[in-house]
Each structure stands twice: as C-alpha cells, then as structure tokens.
C-alpha cells in the first residue's frame, strides 16, 4: 500500500516495504503453542520445552543475518499520514490478547493438566522450560507495552498496563516515560548502561533503581496535587492490581503450585527487557552545559540497528534515537539517523554477547571510544572501572567529576 500526500501542490508517495512484515510480531506470543506442536512431532522430547530461548537467541539472530538491513526512512512530509494508518495500530493491539491467551494456556499445563499429544503432565524440567518460554513472550510483551504506553490515547495506555501485568513490572510504565526519557544517557539514569559495567552489575542497579524512581515520581505527583500517594489512583498501585488479578485468577483456576513458574517467567521477562535497556545507551553520555543541565537528547545518544528481523519483531525499537527525540511517534514512522551509533547486529544477537563481559567489551568498547573521537571523558563511565579506562585510553579533554560522583 502506498502512502501519499500533497505538499505545495506536488504529490509525495512512499511505500512501506515492511508493511505486512509487521504482522510477524504476532508470532512471538505463539511460542507456547509452538512447543506443543514440537512436543507432538518429537514424541515428547523434553528439549522442545526450551524452544522459547532458542527462538529468541538463536533463530532471531539468524533471521537478522539472512534478512539484512533496511535503512530506508519515510519522507518527512508523509510521517503524519503514515501514523494515521490504523493498520499499524491493530498490529500491536493483536499482540496482547494472544499474549494473555498463551499465558493462560501455559498456566493450564503448569497446573498439571494435559492436552492432545501430551499424555502425561509435564515434568518439573519441562515446566521450567515452558516458564522460560512464557518469559520470552512476556519480555517482548513489555516492548509492546512500551510502544503503546507512550501514546496519548487512553485505551492504548491501558493496553500497555495489561501487557505489563504478566511480569508484575507495571512500574516500568511510569519510570520509563517520566524518568528514563528525562535522564537518558546520564550517570543518574538507572536504565542507561555505563561503559565498563557488565550486564550482571547493571541488572540489580536498574531493577532497584527503576522501582525507586517510579515510586518517587508518583509520590511527587501527588505532592503537587496536595494529596496522599496512598491511593488507588497511584499508577503503581493500579498497575500492580492488574498483576494481582491476573496471577490470582490463574492460581485460582490452576492451583497455587504454578506460583514458582509464574515467578520464573516474570524474572525471565524482566531480564530480557533490562538486557535491552543495558545495550540501548551503553556508554552514551549527554554533555553537561554551563548551566549544570544536560544537553538535549539527540540521535548520538542511542545505539541503533537497521536489522530487519529484530526490527519487525520489536516494532522498530532499534530505531531508538528517533524514539527518544519523538517519544509519541508511532513505530512505523521512526527514522534512522546517520549520526546515531550503530550496533554490529540486532538486539537479540547483542544480548547473547552481554553474557560474556570480555566478549561484550571487545565488541563494544572500541565502538564507544570511536563514537567519541577517542575522548573517553565524554563517555558514561562506570565508577568501578573508570580508573582502569582512564589509564588505558587517557583522561580525555572532557573528563570531569561526574564519574567520581556517580
């Protein structure tokens, strides 16, 4: 389908070559059903219940390599018309009911029930594999919530809360929009990875820091209204209420024994989300102005990727620079910027690299240094490793007290 508009008397046309590829995002919440099919095909092999992590960390990176890159941008004149095409909205809406249906289906099996092709209840090992698969869906579901949670339409923001309910991570809706987007690429941001920080160090910092940030942001909101934050109108409480209703309903229906597996899938989903947060701004830092404030966010503060595979499955999340410049812009209209630093592959493949810090540093540290023209002082340095980086690369002309105070 061709998008067109008349500008200054001339017709401008553009065709989104990925238009129908976006539907592939709905494949992700079908992962639990794929396990069922693989179980029947293999005669009940236990390994098929670990298909979720295999799909995310093996098949998606392979898809990225085979599908290649798409650096094409929609013309600026057509962005408004492209955003108004409701086809793209329904693509994201479709993800959520399939996500919740898959969770209910998985909880049914975790409760010791069987289905055609599954003669015996799942073993503990098989249930752990299924829970990890549900977690992969939940983690990518948080990305769907991310897309919808930035929009002005109230129903889309409520859809975001539903998508977040599976992981009990409803505070992400608050901290990401009102915290991360303000502090991104600064030492104060718990969701921006620092140069020299491993993903294993980043996890507790971002999980605890994001929760504290969300609580503080909501408390300040109620102070401005001269009201108590101990209210159901507190967005943390009503977001967590979604999770309580969902998890409570599942345990009533399928037994409290499924609780450990609900915790496993939630942990896996949160870990997947925060792994993405770690790499999106790794080492990036906004300069401080004479006023003491940070410069405005620009495309140079986010790592981008034009790998088609991960982009169509994550609704252009990898065009992260434009997202930070225009948070309410819909995914289909996000643009690539030449000044944005570029990852060597898509997010799924990059997450695999984070598991081994030595490999991650070998791949990424020189890219960060190159992005800052060899000036290590301009990067967001991790306090624990800052001295080692300064000794290795030199202090840099922009080295300041922020590192020591971080």
């Amino acid at each position: 389908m061709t998008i067109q508009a008349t500008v200054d008397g001339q017709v401008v046309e553009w065709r989104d070559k990925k238009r129908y590829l976006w539907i592939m995002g709905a494949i992700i919440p079908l992962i639990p059903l794929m396990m069922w099919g693989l179980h029947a095909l293999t005669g009940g092999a236990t390994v098929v219940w670990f298909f979720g992590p295999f799909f995310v960390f093996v098949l998606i990176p392979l898809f990225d390599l085979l599908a290649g890159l798409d650096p094409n941008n929609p013309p600026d004149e057509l962005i408004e018309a492209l955003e108004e095409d409701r086809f793209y909205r329904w693509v994201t809406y479709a993800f959520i009911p399939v996500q919740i249906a898959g969770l209910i289906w998985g909880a049914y099996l975790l409760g010791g029930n069987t289905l055609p092709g599954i003669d015996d209840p799942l073993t503990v090992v098989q249930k752990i594999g299924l829970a990890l698969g549900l977690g992969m869906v939940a983690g990518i579901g948080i990305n769907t919530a991310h897309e919808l949670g930035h929009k002005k339409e109230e129903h889309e923001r409520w859809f975001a809360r539903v998508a977040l309910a599976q992981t009990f991570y409803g505070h992400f809706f608050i901290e990401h929009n009102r915290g991360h987007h303000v502090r991104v690429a600064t030492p104060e941001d718990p969701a921006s990875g620092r140069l020299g920080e491993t993903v294993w160090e980043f996890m507790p910092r971002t999980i605890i820091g994001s929760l504290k940030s969300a609580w503080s942001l909501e408390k300040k909101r109620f102070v401005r209204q001269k009201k108590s934050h101990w209210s159901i109108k507190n967005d943390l409480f009503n977001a967590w209420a979604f999770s309580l209703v969902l998890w409570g309903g599942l345990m009533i229906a399928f037994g409290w024994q499924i609780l450990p597996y609900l915790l496993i899938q939630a942990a896996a989903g949160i870990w997947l989300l925060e792994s993405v947060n770690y790499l999106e701004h790794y080492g990036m830092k906004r300069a401080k102005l004479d006023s003491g404030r940070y410069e405005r966010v620009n495309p140079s503060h986010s790592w981008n990727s034009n790998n088609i595979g991960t982009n169509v499955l994550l609704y252009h999340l990898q065009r992260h620079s434009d997202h930070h410049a225009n948070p309410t812009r819909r995914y289909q209209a996000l643009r690539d910027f030449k000044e944005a630093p570029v990852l060597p592959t898509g997010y799924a493949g990059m997450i695999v690299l984070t598991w081994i810090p030595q490999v991650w540093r070998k791949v990424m540290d020189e890219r960060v240094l190159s992005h800052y023209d060899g000036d290590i002082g301009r990067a967001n340095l991790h306090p624990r490793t800052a001295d080692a980086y300064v000794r290795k690369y030199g202090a840099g002309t922009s080295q300041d007290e922020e590192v020591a105070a971080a």
Side-chain angles (χ1 to χ4, degrees):
M1 180 177 176
T2 300
I3 302 291
Q4 63 179 31
T6 302
V7 180
D8 295 330
Q10 293 186 336
V11 176
V12 180
E13 295 185 339
W14 184 77
R15 185 168 67 89
D16 181 7
K17 295 180 180 179
K18 298 195 293 282
R19 180 179 176 87
Y20 297 107
L21 290 179
W22 298 115
I23 300 172
M24 292 177 62
I27 291 175
I28 298 296
L30 294 176
I31 285 175
L33 292 180
M34 296 179 196
M35 297 180 192
W36 180 18
L38 290 170
H39 179 94
L41 287 173
T42 60
T46 293
V47 71
V48 304
W49 294 99
F50 291 84
F51 176 72
F54 177 80
F55 183 94
V56 174
F57 300 120
V58 178
L59 295 185
I60 294 179
L62 287 175
F63 183 25
D64 271 338
L65 289 174
L66 295 173
L69 305 175
D70 174 30
N72 296 314
N73 290 334
D76 290 347
E77 299 88 347
L78 296 181
I79 285 179
E80 183 178 353
L82 186 60
E83 288 197 279
E84 290 176 355
D85 188 337
R86 301 192 70 85
F87 165 82
Y88 296 96
R89 302 187 193 189
W90 284 103
V91 168
T92 54
Y93 297 169
F95 187 102
I96 298 172
V98 183
Q99 174 191 348
I100 299 302
L103 175 62
I104 295 171
W105 180 91
Y108 175 83
L109 288 180
L110 293 171
N113 299 292
T114 62
L115 288 166
I118 303 177
D119 298 328
D120 301 310
L122 301 185
T123 66
V124 171
V125 174
Q126 290 171 334
K127 287 180 179 180
I128 291 173
L130 173 56
L132 290 174
L134 293 171
M136 297 299 100
V137 176
I140 297 175
I142 295 176
N143 175 62
T144 306
H146 167 263
E147 168 65 23
L148 295 171
H150 274 291
K151 302 304 174 281
K152 297 177 181 179
E153 287 80 356
E154 188 64 23
H155 67 277
E156 292 185 292
R157 297 164 71 87
W158 281 103
F159 288 166
R161 290 181 172 90
V162 173
L164 290 167
Q166 183 172 342
T167 50
F168 237 105
Y169 219 56
H171 64 276
F172 170 82
F173 177 84
I174 301 163
E175 200 287 323
H176 178 84
N177 289 21
R178 290 153 49 195
H180 173 63
H181 271 262
V182 174
R183 298 185 297 251
V184 62
T186 69
E188 293 82 11
D189 183 28
S192 292
R194 298 165 174 170
L195 182 65
E197 181 179 33
T198 71
V199 73
W200 311 111
E201 292 174 295
F202 175 77
M203 284 295 167
R205 180 171 75 85
T206 189
I207 291 171
I208 296 170
S210 295
L211 179 58
K212 291 170 65 175
S213 172
W215 179 260
S216 176
L217 287 165
E218 272 301 90
K219 190 173 181 179
K220 289 176 181 177
R221 183 169 73 90
F222 278 87
V223 167
R224 290 194 298 269
Q225 297 175 358
K226 298 181 179 181
K227 297 179 180 178
S228 171
H229 60 282
W230 296 100
S231 166
I232 191 60
K233 292 184 179 180
N234 185 317
D235 283 342
L236 272 84
F237 296 153
N238 58 55
W240 291 335
F242 274 74
S243 296
L244 285 172
V245 170
L246 178 61
W247 284 34
L250 292 174
M251 285 189 283
I252 290 171
F254 307 118
W256 65 267
Q257 295 88 346
I258 71 172
L259 178 58
Y261 303 105
L262 290 178
L263 292 172
I264 289 172
Q265 65 85 30
I270 292 167
W271 170 76
L272 187 58
L273 162 74
E274 297 298 359
S275 293
V276 169
N277 273 338
Y278 169 73
L279 62 89
E280 284 177 332
H281 307 282
Y282 178 73
M284 301 293 100
K285 188 173 76 171
R286 290 150 57 194
K288 253 189 178 178
L289 306 175
D290 292 339
S291 64
R293 300 174 66 88
Y294 287 102
E295 65 177 319
R296 291 178 62 88
V297 180
N298 65 55
S300 72
H301 299 131
S302 304
W303 289 95
N304 276 18
S305 170
N306 280 316
N307 287 88
I308 297 174
T310 319
N311 264 331
V312 298
L313 294 174
L314 296 182
Y315 307 122
H316 258 166
L317 180 66
Q318 298 175 142
R319 290 192 169 182
H320 210 60
S321 294
D322 198 9
H323 167 68
H324 271 277
N326 302 281
T328 62
R329 177 165 291 167
R330 295 188 180 273
Y331 68 94
Q332 68 271 21
L334 293 175
R335 301 158 298 168
D336 179 50
F337 292 96
K338 291 182 179 179
E339 60 266 41
V342 180
L343 294 169
T345 189
Y347 282 3
M350 294 305 298
I351 290 174
V352 175
L353 297 183
T354 69
W355 300 343
I356 306 175
Q358 296 85 346
V359 175
W360 172 260
R361 287 196 295 267
K362 185 175 180 61
V363 172
M364 290 300 297
D365 284 6
E366 291 294 338
R367 284 179 165 82
V368 174
L369 192 64
S370 176
H371 179 64
Y372 287 118
D373 300 321
D375 185 354
I376 197 70
R378 294 168 61 191
N380 186 4
L381 288 169
H382 187 46
R384 181 182 64 80
T385 57
D387 289 343
Y389 274 88
V390 170
R391 286 194 300 270
K392 183 176 181 179
Y393 297 109
T397 58
S398 301
Q399 188 69 22
D400 53 37
E401 297 177 356
E402 289 180 40
V403 173

Short mmCIF file of all heavy atoms in Angstrom, two decimals, residues 72 111 113 116 120 153 184 215 238 274 281 283 285 307 320 359:
data_model
loop_
_atom_site.label_atom_id
_atom_site.label_comp_id
_atom_site.label_asym_id
_atom_site.label_seq_id
_atom_site.Cartn_x
_atom_site.Cartn_y
_atom_site.Cartn_z
N ASN A 72 15.98 2.49 5.06
CA ASN A 72 15.07 3.44 4.41
C ASN A 72 14.19 4.17 5.42
O ASN A 72 13.66 3.57 6.36
CB ASN A 72 14.18 2.71 3.40
CG ASN A 72 15.01 2.10 2.27
OD1 ASN A 72 15.88 2.75 1.72
ND2 ASN A 72 14.74 0.84 1.95
N GLY A 111 -0.23 -26.32 35.69
CA GLY A 111 -1.07 -26.84 36.77
C GLY A 111 -1.22 -28.33 36.77
O GLY A 111 -1.98 -28.88 37.58
N ASN A 113 -2.18 -30.25 34.06
CA ASN A 113 -3.18 -30.73 33.10
C ASN A 113 -2.50 -31.19 31.81
O ASN A 113 -1.33 -30.88 31.55
CB ASN A 113 -4.18 -29.62 32.80
CG ASN A 113 -4.92 -29.17 34.04
OD1 ASN A 113 -5.71 -29.90 34.60
ND2 ASN A 113 -4.64 -27.94 34.49
N PRO A 116 -4.26 -32.85 24.02
CA PRO A 116 -3.99 -33.85 22.97
C PRO A 116 -2.53 -33.79 22.53
O PRO A 116 -1.99 -32.71 22.27
CB PRO A 116 -4.93 -33.40 21.84
CG PRO A 116 -6.06 -32.72 22.54
CD PRO A 116 -5.44 -32.02 23.71
N ASP A 120 1.05 -37.27 29.45
CA ASP A 120 1.33 -37.16 30.88
C ASP A 120 1.57 -35.71 31.27
O ASP A 120 2.00 -34.90 30.44
CB ASP A 120 2.58 -37.98 31.23
CG ASP A 120 2.41 -39.47 30.89
OD1 ASP A 120 1.38 -40.04 31.30
OD2 ASP A 120 3.29 -40.02 30.20
N GLU A 153 -3.59 8.26 23.43
CA GLU A 153 -4.91 7.65 23.57
C GLU A 153 -4.98 6.83 24.85
O GLU A 153 -4.13 5.97 25.10
CB GLU A 153 -5.21 6.74 22.36
CG GLU A 153 -5.51 7.49 21.08
CD GLU A 153 -4.25 7.98 20.36
OE1 GLU A 153 -3.15 7.80 20.93
OE2 GLU A 153 -4.37 8.54 19.26
N VAL A 184 17.92 9.93 30.38
CA VAL A 184 18.63 9.01 29.50
C VAL A 184 20.05 9.48 29.18
O VAL A 184 20.31 10.68 29.03
CB VAL A 184 17.83 8.81 28.18
CG1 VAL A 184 17.68 10.11 27.41
CG2 VAL A 184 18.47 7.74 27.32
N TRP A 215 8.47 5.06 42.21
CA TRP A 215 7.81 5.43 43.47
C TRP A 215 7.99 6.92 43.75
O TRP A 215 7.04 7.61 44.13
CB TRP A 215 8.38 4.58 44.60
CG TRP A 215 7.78 4.90 45.95
CD1 TRP A 215 8.32 5.69 46.93
CD2 TRP A 215 6.51 4.47 46.42
NE1 TRP A 215 7.46 5.77 48.00
CE2 TRP A 215 6.34 5.03 47.73
CE3 TRP A 215 5.50 3.68 45.90
CZ2 TRP A 215 5.21 4.81 48.50
CZ3 TRP A 215 4.36 3.46 46.67
CH2 TRP A 215 4.22 4.02 47.95
N ASN A 238 -2.39 0.79 40.79
CA ASN A 238 -3.36 0.24 39.84
C ASN A 238 -2.68 -0.65 38.79
O ASN A 238 -3.28 -1.57 38.26
CB ASN A 238 -4.23 1.33 39.20
CG ASN A 238 -3.45 2.39 38.46
OD1 ASN A 238 -2.66 2.07 37.58
ND2 ASN A 238 -3.69 3.66 38.78
N GLU A 274 15.47 -5.68 30.60
CA GLU A 274 16.58 -4.89 31.12
C GLU A 274 17.88 -5.15 30.36
O GLU A 274 18.76 -4.28 30.32
CB GLU A 274 16.76 -5.15 32.63
CG GLU A 274 15.57 -4.74 33.49
CD GLU A 274 15.27 -3.24 33.45
OE1 GLU A 274 16.01 -2.49 32.77
OE2 GLU A 274 14.30 -2.82 34.11
N HIS A 281 21.86 2.24 25.39
CA HIS A 281 22.59 3.50 25.61
C HIS A 281 23.96 3.23 26.21
O HIS A 281 24.54 4.10 26.86
CB HIS A 281 21.79 4.43 26.52
CG HIS A 281 20.39 4.67 26.07
ND1 HIS A 281 20.07 5.55 25.06
CD2 HIS A 281 19.21 4.12 26.47
CE1 HIS A 281 18.76 5.54 24.86
NE2 HIS A 281 18.22 4.68 25.71
N GLY A 283 27.38 3.23 27.43
CA GLY A 283 28.49 4.18 27.32
C GLY A 283 28.12 5.58 26.85
O GLY A 283 28.97 6.48 26.85
N LYS A 285 26.71 9.33 26.82
CA LYS A 285 26.51 10.37 27.84
C LYS A 285 26.26 11.71 27.18
O LYS A 285 26.98 12.12 26.28
CB LYS A 285 27.72 10.47 28.77
CG LYS A 285 27.46 11.41 29.96
CD LYS A 285 28.59 11.40 30.98
CE LYS A 285 29.79 12.17 30.50
NZ LYS A 285 30.81 12.33 31.57
N ASN A 307 18.67 -3.86 11.39
CA ASN A 307 18.42 -5.26 11.07
C ASN A 307 16.92 -5.52 10.98
O ASN A 307 16.18 -5.29 11.95
CB ASN A 307 19.03 -6.17 12.13
CG ASN A 307 20.55 -6.22 12.03
OD1 ASN A 307 21.25 -5.40 12.62
ND2 ASN A 307 21.06 -7.15 11.24
N HIS A 320 16.09 3.62 17.92
CA HIS A 320 15.87 4.16 19.25
C HIS A 320 16.13 5.65 19.33
O HIS A 320 15.57 6.35 20.19
CB HIS A 320 16.75 3.40 20.24
CG HIS A 320 16.16 3.32 21.61
ND1 HIS A 320 14.94 2.73 21.87
CD2 HIS A 320 16.61 3.79 22.80
CE1 HIS A 320 14.67 2.82 23.16
NE2 HIS A 320 15.67 3.46 23.75
N VAL A 359 33.79 -10.65 25.99
CA VAL A 359 33.40 -10.58 24.58
C VAL A 359 32.65 -9.27 24.32
O VAL A 359 32.90 -8.58 23.32
CB VAL A 359 32.52 -11.78 24.19
CG1 VAL A 359 32.01 -11.64 22.76
CG2 VAL A 359 33.31 -13.08 24.35
#
